[in-house]
Amino acid sequence: MLNQSYELSGTKVTVTVPNEALVPGFEKIRVELLRHLKSTLKNDHISLQSVVVELDREKMRYTDREKFEFLKEKYPALKDLQDKLGLDPEF
């Protein structure tokens, strides 16, 4: 949860959460995190909130073949390597 991106606007910190299911987990640590930020930064005006930002489903790669095809597009040398070695990404 703490690896999510955030945006700082004045004293307002907005943490992006990838889906609604993770909001309760953020709310559990929100109070403790806010207390830590206020004491460490010595600023009682800091506020902390979460915003749900859905990820594109198209960008998610689940199967080995989808992951390998993506990597082949990114690194064309993988196609040559696959051909020379006779690699099968689903094996």
Side-chain angles (χ1 to χ4, degrees), residues 44-75:
D44 291 332
H45 302 289
I46 295 174
S47 63
L48 185 62
Q49 69 178 28
S50 64
V51 174
V52 176
V53 178
E54 294 287 331
L55 296 174
D56 290 337
R57 295 285 179 203
E58 291 180 36
K59 293 183 180 178
M60 299 298 289
R61 292 161 193 86
Y62 296 105
T63 66
D64 291 337
R65 180 162 301 281
E66 290 172 343
K67 292 174 188 176
F68 191 73
E69 292 299 323
F70 171 75
L71 288 174
K72 279 197 316 190
E73 289 174 16
K74 192 171 180 178
Y75 305 106

PDB file of all heavy atoms in Angstrom, residues 44-75:
ATOM      1  N   ASP A  44       0.966  20.501  11.763  1.00  0.00           N
ATOM      2  CA  ASP A  44      -0.354  19.989  12.133  1.00  0.00           C
ATOM      3  C   ASP A  44      -1.410  20.233  11.061  1.00  0.00           C
ATOM      4  O   ASP A  44      -2.561  19.839  11.225  1.00  0.00           O
ATOM      5  CB  ASP A  44      -0.815  20.620  13.445  1.00  0.00           C
ATOM      6  CG  ASP A  44       0.010  20.147  14.625  1.00  0.00           C
ATOM      7  OD1 ASP A  44       0.528  19.014  14.554  1.00  0.00           O
ATOM      8  OD2 ASP A  44       0.130  20.903  15.609  1.00  0.00           O
ATOM      9  N   HIS A  45      -1.058  20.872   9.963  1.00  0.00           N
ATOM     10  CA  HIS A  45      -2.025  21.204   8.919  1.00  0.00           C
ATOM     11  C   HIS A  45      -2.062  20.188   7.792  1.00  0.00           C
ATOM     12  O   HIS A  45      -2.816  20.348   6.838  1.00  0.00           O
ATOM     13  CB  HIS A  45      -1.721  22.591   8.355  1.00  0.00           C
ATOM     14  CG  HIS A  45      -1.741  23.667   9.398  1.00  0.00           C
ATOM     15  ND1 HIS A  45      -2.900  24.097   9.997  1.00  0.00           N
ATOM     16  CD2 HIS A  45      -0.732  24.366   9.979  1.00  0.00           C
ATOM     17  CE1 HIS A  45      -2.621  25.032  10.876  1.00  0.00           C
ATOM     18  NE2 HIS A  45      -1.298  25.211  10.898  1.00  0.00           N
ATOM     19  N   ILE A  46      -1.275  19.138   7.885  1.00  0.00           N
ATOM     20  CA  ILE A  46      -1.222  18.118   6.833  1.00  0.00           C
ATOM     21  C   ILE A  46      -2.517  17.303   6.840  1.00  0.00           C
ATOM     22  O   ILE A  46      -3.014  16.910   7.891  1.00  0.00           O
ATOM     23  CB  ILE A  46      -0.014  17.175   7.040  1.00  0.00           C
ATOM     24  CG1 ILE A  46       1.280  17.961   6.882  1.00  0.00           C
ATOM     25  CG2 ILE A  46      -0.053  16.011   6.063  1.00  0.00           C
ATOM     26  CD1 ILE A  46       2.516  17.157   7.198  1.00  0.00           C
ATOM     27  N   SER A  47      -3.037  17.057   5.644  1.00  0.00           N
ATOM     28  CA  SER A  47      -4.200  16.177   5.513  1.00  0.00           C
ATOM     29  C   SER A  47      -3.835  15.051   4.549  1.00  0.00           C
ATOM     30  O   SER A  47      -2.994  15.219   3.663  1.00  0.00           O
ATOM     31  CB  SER A  47      -5.415  16.953   5.007  1.00  0.00           C
ATOM     32  OG  SER A  47      -5.186  17.457   3.718  1.00  0.00           O
ATOM     33  N   LEU A  48      -4.483  13.919   4.712  1.00  0.00           N
ATOM     34  CA  LEU A  48      -4.168  12.720   3.939  1.00  0.00           C
ATOM     35  C   LEU A  48      -5.463  12.105   3.451  1.00  0.00           C
ATOM     36  O   LEU A  48      -6.381  11.863   4.243  1.00  0.00           O
ATOM     37  CB  LEU A  48      -3.402  11.733   4.823  1.00  0.00           C
ATOM     38  CG  LEU A  48      -2.866  10.463   4.211  1.00  0.00           C
ATOM     39  CD1 LEU A  48      -1.862  10.765   3.118  1.00  0.00           C
ATOM     40  CD2 LEU A  48      -2.220   9.607   5.275  1.00  0.00           C
ATOM     41  N   GLN A  49      -5.542  11.862   2.146  1.00  0.00           N
ATOM     42  CA  GLN A  49      -6.738  11.239   1.581  1.00  0.00           C
ATOM     43  C   GLN A  49      -6.343  10.264   0.485  1.00  0.00           C
ATOM     44  O   GLN A  49      -5.213  10.281   0.020  1.00  0.00           O
ATOM     45  CB  GLN A  49      -7.695  12.287   1.029  1.00  0.00           C
ATOM     46  CG  GLN A  49      -7.196  12.995  -0.210  1.00  0.00           C
ATOM     47  CD  GLN A  49      -8.200  13.993  -0.734  1.00  0.00           C
ATOM     48  OE1 GLN A  49      -8.994  14.530   0.021  1.00  0.00           O
ATOM     49  NE2 GLN A  49      -8.171  14.236  -2.021  1.00  0.00           N
ATOM     50  N   SER A  50      -7.306   9.434   0.086  1.00  0.00           N
ATOM     51  CA  SER A  50      -7.048   8.466  -0.976  1.00  0.00           C
ATOM     52  C   SER A  50      -7.992   8.723  -2.137  1.00  0.00           C
ATOM     53  O   SER A  50      -9.107   9.198  -1.948  1.00  0.00           O
ATOM     54  CB  SER A  50      -7.233   7.044  -0.468  1.00  0.00           C
ATOM     55  OG  SER A  50      -8.574   6.832  -0.086  1.00  0.00           O
ATOM     56  N   VAL A  51      -7.514   8.393  -3.350  1.00  0.00           N
ATOM     57  CA  VAL A  51      -8.315   8.503  -4.561  1.00  0.00           C
ATOM     58  C   VAL A  51      -8.141   7.201  -5.330  1.00  0.00           C
ATOM     59  O   VAL A  51      -7.014   6.736  -5.520  1.00  0.00           O
ATOM     60  CB  VAL A  51      -7.849   9.696  -5.435  1.00  0.00           C
ATOM     61  CG1 VAL A  51      -8.579   9.712  -6.752  1.00  0.00           C
ATOM     62  CG2 VAL A  51      -8.040  10.992  -4.700  1.00  0.00           C
ATOM     63  N   VAL A  52      -9.259   6.607  -5.748  1.00  0.00           N
ATOM     64  CA  VAL A  52      -9.210   5.357  -6.504  1.00  0.00           C
ATOM     65  C   VAL A  52      -8.957   5.672  -7.974  1.00  0.00           C
ATOM     66  O   VAL A  52      -9.670   6.455  -8.587  1.00  0.00           O
ATOM     67  CB  VAL A  52     -10.525   4.567  -6.343  1.00  0.00           C
ATOM     68  CG1 VAL A  52     -10.501   3.311  -7.199  1.00  0.00           C
ATOM     69  CG2 VAL A  52     -10.766   4.235  -4.894  1.00  0.00           C
ATOM     70  N   VAL A  53      -7.895   5.079  -8.528  1.00  0.00           N
ATOM     71  CA  VAL A  53      -7.551   5.233  -9.939  1.00  0.00           C
ATOM     72  C   VAL A  53      -7.464   3.832 -10.526  1.00  0.00           C
ATOM     73  O   VAL A  53      -6.549   3.080 -10.215  1.00  0.00           O
ATOM     74  CB  VAL A  53      -6.205   5.980 -10.110  1.00  0.00           C
ATOM     75  CG1 VAL A  53      -5.846   6.092 -11.578  1.00  0.00           C
ATOM     76  CG2 VAL A  53      -6.267   7.345  -9.463  1.00  0.00           C
ATOM     77  N   GLU A  54      -8.433   3.485 -11.365  1.00  0.00           N
ATOM     78  CA  GLU A  54      -8.478   2.154 -11.960  1.00  0.00           C
ATOM     79  C   GLU A  54      -7.366   1.983 -12.989  1.00  0.00           C
ATOM     80  O   GLU A  54      -7.077   2.892 -13.755  1.00  0.00           O
ATOM     81  CB  GLU A  54      -9.831   1.916 -12.636  1.00  0.00           C
ATOM     82  CG  GLU A  54     -10.996   1.869 -11.686  1.00  0.00           C
ATOM     83  CD  GLU A  54     -11.048   0.614 -10.857  1.00  0.00           C
ATOM     84  OE1 GLU A  54     -10.573  -0.436 -11.323  1.00  0.00           O
ATOM     85  OE2 GLU A  54     -11.564   0.688  -9.728  1.00  0.00           O
ATOM     86  N   LEU A  55      -6.739   0.820 -13.019  1.00  0.00           N
ATOM     87  CA  LEU A  55      -5.737   0.484 -14.016  1.00  0.00           C
ATOM     88  C   LEU A  55      -6.426   0.012 -15.286  1.00  0.00           C
ATOM     89  O   LEU A  55      -7.509  -0.574 -15.245  1.00  0.00           O
ATOM     90  CB  LEU A  55      -4.818  -0.625 -13.507  1.00  0.00           C
ATOM     91  CG  LEU A  55      -3.967  -0.299 -12.298  1.00  0.00           C
ATOM     92  CD1 LEU A  55      -3.230  -1.543 -11.841  1.00  0.00           C
ATOM     93  CD2 LEU A  55      -2.984   0.808 -12.612  1.00  0.00           C
ATOM     94  N   ASP A  56      -5.796   0.256 -16.432  1.00  0.00           N
ATOM     95  CA  ASP A  56      -6.340  -0.251 -17.692  1.00  0.00           C
ATOM     96  C   ASP A  56      -6.225  -1.768 -17.711  1.00  0.00           C
ATOM     97  O   ASP A  56      -5.157  -2.320 -17.479  1.00  0.00           O
ATOM     98  CB  ASP A  56      -5.582   0.333 -18.889  1.00  0.00           C
ATOM     99  CG  ASP A  56      -5.861   1.804 -19.068  1.00  0.00           C
ATOM    100  OD1 ASP A  56      -6.914   2.259 -18.582  1.00  0.00           O
ATOM    101  OD2 ASP A  56      -5.029   2.488 -19.696  1.00  0.00           O
ATOM    102  N   ARG A  57      -7.316  -2.425 -18.022  1.00  0.00           N
ATOM    103  CA  ARG A  57      -7.314  -3.893 -18.082  1.00  0.00           C
ATOM    104  C   ARG A  57      -6.479  -4.396 -19.252  1.00  0.00           C
ATOM    105  O   ARG A  57      -5.937  -5.477 -19.207  1.00  0.00           O
ATOM    106  CB  ARG A  57      -8.745  -4.426 -18.200  1.00  0.00           C
ATOM    107  CG  ARG A  57      -9.587  -4.140 -16.993  1.00  0.00           C
ATOM    108  CD  ARG A  57      -9.198  -5.058 -15.880  1.00  0.00           C
ATOM    109  NE  ARG A  57     -10.014  -4.759 -14.705  1.00  0.00           N
ATOM    110  CZ  ARG A  57      -9.679  -5.039 -13.489  1.00  0.00           C
ATOM    111  NH1 ARG A  57      -8.524  -5.624 -13.254  1.00  0.00           N
ATOM    112  NH2 ARG A  57     -10.448  -4.747 -12.486  1.00  0.00           N
ATOM    113  N   GLU A  58      -6.394  -3.599 -20.324  1.00  0.00           N
ATOM    114  CA  GLU A  58      -5.632  -4.039 -21.488  1.00  0.00           C
ATOM    115  C   GLU A  58      -4.151  -4.176 -21.175  1.00  0.00           C
ATOM    116  O   GLU A  58      -3.463  -4.978 -21.775  1.00  0.00           O
ATOM    117  CB  GLU A  58      -5.816  -3.048 -22.628  1.00  0.00           C
ATOM    118  CG  GLU A  58      -7.211  -3.045 -23.199  1.00  0.00           C
ATOM    119  CD  GLU A  58      -7.340  -2.051 -24.335  1.00  0.00           C
ATOM    120  OE1 GLU A  58      -6.363  -1.888 -25.095  1.00  0.00           O
ATOM    121  OE2 GLU A  58      -8.406  -1.453 -24.458  1.00  0.00           O
ATOM    122  N   LYS A  59      -3.646  -3.388 -20.259  1.00  0.00           N
ATOM    123  CA  LYS A  59      -2.226  -3.397 -19.961  1.00  0.00           C
ATOM    124  C   LYS A  59      -1.821  -4.583 -19.083  1.00  0.00           C
ATOM    125  O   LYS A  59      -0.654  -4.888 -18.978  1.00  0.00           O
ATOM    126  CB  LYS A  59      -1.820  -2.100 -19.275  1.00  0.00           C
ATOM    127  CG  LYS A  59      -1.940  -0.901 -20.182  1.00  0.00           C
ATOM    128  CD  LYS A  59      -1.466   0.339 -19.511  1.00  0.00           C
ATOM    129  CE  LYS A  59      -1.582   1.526 -20.430  1.00  0.00           C
ATOM    130  NZ  LYS A  59      -1.169   2.761 -19.787  1.00  0.00           N
ATOM    131  N   MET A  60      -2.789  -5.229 -18.463  1.00  0.00           N
ATOM    132  CA  MET A  60      -2.481  -6.362 -17.600  1.00  0.00           C
ATOM    133  C   MET A  60      -2.200  -7.595 -18.461  1.00  0.00           C
ATOM    134  O   MET A  60      -2.974  -7.934 -19.339  1.00  0.00           O
ATOM    135  CB  MET A  60      -3.650  -6.652 -16.652  1.00  0.00           C
ATOM    136  CG  MET A  60      -3.982  -5.495 -15.731  1.00  0.00           C
ATOM    137  SD  MET A  60      -2.653  -5.052 -14.629  1.00  0.00           S
ATOM    138  CE  MET A  60      -2.665  -6.427 -13.542  1.00  0.00           C
ATOM    139  N   ARG A  61      -1.087  -8.234 -18.193  1.00  0.00           N
ATOM    140  CA  ARG A  61      -0.707  -9.443 -18.914  1.00  0.00           C
ATOM    141  C   ARG A  61      -0.704 -10.602 -17.925  1.00  0.00           C
ATOM    142  O   ARG A  61       0.015 -10.554 -16.934  1.00  0.00           O
ATOM    143  CB  ARG A  61       0.665  -9.256 -19.547  1.00  0.00           C
ATOM    144  CG  ARG A  61       0.618  -8.241 -20.654  1.00  0.00           C
ATOM    145  CD  ARG A  61       1.992  -7.699 -20.977  1.00  0.00           C
ATOM    146  NE  ARG A  61       1.892  -6.522 -21.810  1.00  0.00           N
ATOM    147  CZ  ARG A  61       1.726  -5.281 -21.344  1.00  0.00           C
ATOM    148  NH1 ARG A  61       1.664  -5.072 -20.056  1.00  0.00           N
ATOM    149  NH2 ARG A  61       1.624  -4.267 -22.161  1.00  0.00           N
ATOM    150  N   TYR A  62      -1.504 -11.598 -18.212  1.00  0.00           N
ATOM    151  CA  TYR A  62      -1.668 -12.686 -17.261  1.00  0.00           C
ATOM    152  C   TYR A  62      -0.928 -13.958 -17.658  1.00  0.00           C
ATOM    153  O   TYR A  62      -0.331 -14.606 -16.830  1.00  0.00           O
ATOM    154  CB  TYR A  62      -3.161 -12.995 -17.069  1.00  0.00           C
ATOM    155  CG  TYR A  62      -3.916 -11.845 -16.453  1.00  0.00           C
ATOM    156  CD1 TYR A  62      -4.755 -11.057 -17.207  1.00  0.00           C
ATOM    157  CD2 TYR A  62      -3.770 -11.540 -15.106  1.00  0.00           C
ATOM    158  CE1 TYR A  62      -5.435  -9.999 -16.640  1.00  0.00           C
ATOM    159  CE2 TYR A  62      -4.443 -10.493 -14.537  1.00  0.00           C
ATOM    160  CZ  TYR A  62      -5.281  -9.718 -15.306  1.00  0.00           C
ATOM    161  OH  TYR A  62      -5.948  -8.672 -14.741  1.00  0.00           O
ATOM    162  N   THR A  63      -0.982 -14.306 -18.918  1.00  0.00           N
ATOM    163  CA  THR A  63      -0.373 -15.575 -19.338  1.00  0.00           C
ATOM    164  C   THR A  63       1.089 -15.366 -19.717  1.00  0.00           C
ATOM    165  O   THR A  63       1.517 -14.245 -20.014  1.00  0.00           O
ATOM    166  CB  THR A  63      -1.123 -16.178 -20.547  1.00  0.00           C
ATOM    167  OG1 THR A  63      -0.938 -15.325 -21.672  1.00  0.00           O
ATOM    168  CG2 THR A  63      -2.605 -16.355 -20.246  1.00  0.00           C
ATOM    169  N   ASP A  64       1.828 -16.455 -19.735  1.00  0.00           N
ATOM    170  CA  ASP A  64       3.232 -16.395 -20.137  1.00  0.00           C
ATOM    171  C   ASP A  64       3.373 -15.911 -21.577  1.00  0.00           C
ATOM    172  O   ASP A  64       4.281 -15.160 -21.897  1.00  0.00           O
ATOM    173  CB  ASP A  64       3.894 -17.756 -19.979  1.00  0.00           C
ATOM    174  CG  ASP A  64       4.062 -18.154 -18.523  1.00  0.00           C
ATOM    175  OD1 ASP A  64       4.078 -17.245 -17.668  1.00  0.00           O
ATOM    176  OD2 ASP A  64       4.184 -19.355 -18.256  1.00  0.00           O
ATOM    177  N   ARG A  65       2.468 -16.350 -22.448  1.00  0.00           N
ATOM    178  CA  ARG A  65       2.523 -15.941 -23.854  1.00  0.00           C
ATOM    179  C   ARG A  65       2.317 -14.433 -23.986  1.00  0.00           C
ATOM    180  O   ARG A  65       3.035 -13.762 -24.725  1.00  0.00           O
ATOM    181  CB  ARG A  65       1.490 -16.681 -24.695  1.00  0.00           C
ATOM    182  CG  ARG A  65       1.555 -16.233 -26.161  1.00  0.00           C
ATOM    183  CD  ARG A  65       0.901 -17.172 -27.127  1.00  0.00           C
ATOM    184  NE  ARG A  65       1.399 -18.519 -27.171  1.00  0.00           N
ATOM    185  CZ  ARG A  65       2.504 -18.921 -27.786  1.00  0.00           C
ATOM    186  NH1 ARG A  65       3.281 -18.056 -28.379  1.00  0.00           N
ATOM    187  NH2 ARG A  65       2.838 -20.172 -27.796  1.00  0.00           N
ATOM    188  N   GLU A  66       1.332 -13.864 -23.257  1.00  0.00           N
ATOM    189  CA  GLU A  66       1.084 -12.424 -23.313  1.00  0.00           C
ATOM    190  C   GLU A  66       2.307 -11.642 -22.823  1.00  0.00           C
ATOM    191  O   GLU A  66       2.691 -10.633 -23.415  1.00  0.00           O
ATOM    192  CB  GLU A  66      -0.126 -12.054 -22.463  1.00  0.00           C
ATOM    193  CG  GLU A  66      -1.442 -12.531 -23.025  1.00  0.00           C
ATOM    194  CD  GLU A  66      -2.589 -12.325 -22.059  1.00  0.00           C
ATOM    195  OE1 GLU A  66      -2.345 -12.119 -20.858  1.00  0.00           O
ATOM    196  OE2 GLU A  66      -3.742 -12.370 -22.512  1.00  0.00           O
ATOM    197  N   LYS A  67       2.920 -12.117 -21.762  1.00  0.00           N
ATOM    198  CA  LYS A  67       4.101 -11.449 -21.224  1.00  0.00           C
ATOM    199  C   LYS A  67       5.265 -11.526 -22.216  1.00  0.00           C
ATOM    200  O   LYS A  67       5.975 -10.536 -22.428  1.00  0.00           O
ATOM    201  CB  LYS A  67       4.504 -12.085 -19.890  1.00  0.00           C
ATOM    202  CG  LYS A  67       3.501 -11.836 -18.792  1.00  0.00           C
ATOM    203  CD  LYS A  67       3.866 -12.600 -17.540  1.00  0.00           C
ATOM    204  CE  LYS A  67       2.776 -12.501 -16.505  1.00  0.00           C
ATOM    205  NZ  LYS A  67       3.052 -13.308 -15.322  1.00  0.00           N
ATOM    206  N   PHE A  68       5.433 -12.695 -22.839  1.00  0.00           N
ATOM    207  CA  PHE A  68       6.527 -12.866 -23.788  1.00  0.00           C
ATOM    208  C   PHE A  68       6.308 -12.024 -25.045  1.00  0.00           C
ATOM    209  O   PHE A  68       7.243 -11.419 -25.564  1.00  0.00           O
ATOM    210  CB  PHE A  68       6.699 -14.345 -24.145  1.00  0.00           C
ATOM    211  CG  PHE A  68       7.957 -14.625 -24.900  1.00  0.00           C
ATOM    212  CD1 PHE A  68       9.183 -14.581 -24.255  1.00  0.00           C
ATOM    213  CD2 PHE A  68       7.921 -14.928 -26.243  1.00  0.00           C
ATOM    214  CE1 PHE A  68      10.355 -14.833 -24.947  1.00  0.00           C
ATOM    215  CE2 PHE A  68       9.086 -15.176 -26.948  1.00  0.00           C
ATOM    216  CZ  PHE A  68      10.307 -15.126 -26.288  1.00  0.00           C
ATOM    217  N   GLU A  69       5.069 -11.944 -25.527  1.00  0.00           N
ATOM    218  CA  GLU A  69       4.766 -11.126 -26.700  1.00  0.00           C
ATOM    219  C   GLU A  69       5.047  -9.655 -26.411  1.00  0.00           C
ATOM    220  O   GLU A  69       5.575  -8.932 -27.251  1.00  0.00           O
ATOM    221  CB  GLU A  69       3.314 -11.314 -27.146  1.00  0.00           C
ATOM    222  CG  GLU A  69       3.009 -12.685 -27.704  1.00  0.00           C
ATOM    223  CD  GLU A  69       3.825 -13.025 -28.931  1.00  0.00           C
ATOM    224  OE1 GLU A  69       4.077 -12.129 -29.755  1.00  0.00           O
ATOM    225  OE2 GLU A  69       4.239 -14.194 -29.058  1.00  0.00           O
ATOM    226  N   PHE A  70       4.706  -9.204 -25.218  1.00  0.00           N
ATOM    227  CA  PHE A  70       4.993  -7.830 -24.826  1.00  0.00           C
ATOM    228  C   PHE A  70       6.501  -7.568 -24.822  1.00  0.00           C
ATOM    229  O   PHE A  70       6.969  -6.553 -25.332  1.00  0.00           O
ATOM    230  CB  PHE A  70       4.402  -7.540 -23.447  1.00  0.00           C
ATOM    231  CG  PHE A  70       4.839  -6.227 -22.882  1.00  0.00           C
ATOM    232  CD1 PHE A  70       4.318  -5.043 -23.364  1.00  0.00           C
ATOM    233  CD2 PHE A  70       5.785  -6.175 -21.874  1.00  0.00           C
ATOM    234  CE1 PHE A  70       4.720  -3.819 -22.848  1.00  0.00           C
ATOM    235  CE2 PHE A  70       6.201  -4.962 -21.351  1.00  0.00           C
ATOM    236  CZ  PHE A  70       5.670  -3.783 -21.849  1.00  0.00           C
ATOM    237  N   LEU A  71       7.249  -8.515 -24.270  1.00  0.00           N
ATOM    238  CA  LEU A  71       8.703  -8.351 -24.218  1.00  0.00           C
ATOM    239  C   LEU A  71       9.327  -8.397 -25.612  1.00  0.00           C
ATOM    240  O   LEU A  71      10.299  -7.694 -25.881  1.00  0.00           O
ATOM    241  CB  LEU A  71       9.322  -9.416 -23.315  1.00  0.00           C
ATOM    242  CG  LEU A  71       9.079  -9.222 -21.829  1.00  0.00           C
ATOM    243  CD1 LEU A  71       9.601 -10.411 -21.030  1.00  0.00           C
ATOM    244  CD2 LEU A  71       9.716  -7.937 -21.333  1.00  0.00           C
ATOM    245  N   LYS A  72       8.756  -9.215 -26.506  1.00  0.00           N
ATOM    246  CA  LYS A  72       9.269  -9.261 -27.875  1.00  0.00           C
ATOM    247  C   LYS A  72       9.050  -7.922 -28.584  1.00  0.00           C
ATOM    248  O   LYS A  72       9.886  -7.498 -29.363  1.00  0.00           O
ATOM    249  CB  LYS A  72       8.595 -10.378 -28.678  1.00  0.00           C
ATOM    250  CG  LYS A  72       9.192 -11.733 -28.417  1.00  0.00           C
ATOM    251  CD  LYS A  72       8.840 -12.776 -29.449  1.00  0.00           C
ATOM    252  CE  LYS A  72       7.435 -12.826 -29.906  1.00  0.00           C
ATOM    253  NZ  LYS A  72       7.108 -14.003 -30.733  1.00  0.00           N
ATOM    254  N   GLU A  73       7.930  -7.267 -28.306  1.00  0.00           N
ATOM    255  CA  GLU A  73       7.690  -5.946 -28.894  1.00  0.00           C
ATOM    256  C   GLU A  73       8.680  -4.923 -28.344  1.00  0.00           C
ATOM    257  O   GLU A  73       9.167  -4.071 -29.071  1.00  0.00           O
ATOM    258  CB  GLU A  73       6.265  -5.483 -28.601  1.00  0.00           C
ATOM    259  CG  GLU A  73       5.207  -6.238 -29.346  1.00  0.00           C
ATOM    260  CD  GLU A  73       3.809  -5.838 -28.922  1.00  0.00           C
ATOM    261  OE1 GLU A  73       3.654  -4.771 -28.277  1.00  0.00           O
ATOM    262  OE2 GLU A  73       2.867  -6.571 -29.231  1.00  0.00           O
ATOM    263  N   LYS A  74       8.958  -5.048 -27.074  1.00  0.00           N
ATOM    264  CA  LYS A  74       9.858  -4.095 -26.423  1.00  0.00           C
ATOM    265  C   LYS A  74      11.314  -4.349 -26.795  1.00  0.00           C
ATOM    266  O   LYS A  74      12.089  -3.412 -26.974  1.00  0.00           O
ATOM    267  CB  LYS A  74       9.669  -4.205 -24.906  1.00  0.00           C
ATOM    268  CG  LYS A  74      10.302  -3.104 -24.127  1.00  0.00           C
ATOM    269  CD  LYS A  74       9.893  -3.164 -22.672  1.00  0.00           C
ATOM    270  CE  LYS A  74      10.539  -2.052 -21.882  1.00  0.00           C
ATOM    271  NZ  LYS A  74      10.138  -2.053 -20.503  1.00  0.00           N
ATOM    272  N   TYR A  75      11.686  -5.625 -26.901  1.00  0.00           N
ATOM    273  CA  TYR A  75      13.058  -6.027 -27.236  1.00  0.00           C
ATOM    274  C   TYR A  75      13.032  -6.968 -28.438  1.00  0.00           C
ATOM    275  O   TYR A  75      12.907  -8.190 -28.279  1.00  0.00           O
ATOM    276  CB  TYR A  75      13.720  -6.727 -26.046  1.00  0.00           C
ATOM    277  CG  TYR A  75      13.698  -5.919 -24.779  1.00  0.00           C
ATOM    278  CD1 TYR A  75      12.844  -6.259 -23.734  1.00  0.00           C
ATOM    279  CD2 TYR A  75      14.528  -4.825 -24.627  1.00  0.00           C
ATOM    280  CE1 TYR A  75      12.822  -5.514 -22.564  1.00  0.00           C
ATOM    281  CE2 TYR A  75      14.510  -4.075 -23.456  1.00  0.00           C
ATOM    282  CZ  TYR A  75      13.658  -4.425 -22.439  1.00  0.00           C
ATOM    283  OH  TYR A  75      13.637  -3.675 -21.285  1.00  0.00           O
TER     284      TYR A  75
END
